[in-house]
């Protein structure tokens, strides 16, 4: 049962980093200030963690 938390952690980390980088790249290229970009990217990263955990748990339940 240790595999599920490890899988959730890895997928959450990758998706959070990707979400933050993508949001920051897009907003900074649109000349949005960093004072706005950073909190929006933080919220996107947290949302990506929640969605990744939910999707991995769904996938795990269907698989097992």
């Amino acid at each position: 049962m240790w595999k599920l938390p490890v899988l959730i952690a890895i997928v959450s980390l990758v998706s959070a980093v990707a979400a933050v980088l993508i949001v920051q790249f897009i907003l900074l290229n649109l000349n949005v200030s960093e004072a706005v970009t950073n909190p929006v990217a933080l919220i996107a990263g947290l949302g990506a963690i929640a969605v990744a955990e939910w999707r991995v748990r769904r996938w795990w339940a269907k698989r097992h």
Side-chain angles (χ1 to χ4, degrees):
M1 199 62 190
W2 61 271
K3 294 177 187 176
L4 179 60
V6 171
L7 185 62
I8 289 173
I10 291 170
V11 173
S12 295
L13 176 66
V14 169
S15 57
V17 169
V20 168
L21 291 177
I22 290 168
V23 168
Q24 283 188 333
F25 179 77
I26 290 170
L27 291 179
L28 289 175
N29 280 334
L30 293 173
N31 292 326
V32 178
S33 70
E34 283 190 36
V36 175
T37 300
N38 290 338
V40 171
L42 175 65
I43 292 169
L46 293 174
I49 290 171
V51 170
E53 182 171 351
W54 173 69
R55 290 189 58 138
V56 168
R57 286 187 187 275
R58 249 181 81 199
W59 173 81
W60 187 269
K62 286 182 181 180
R63 186 171 176 259
H64 288 91

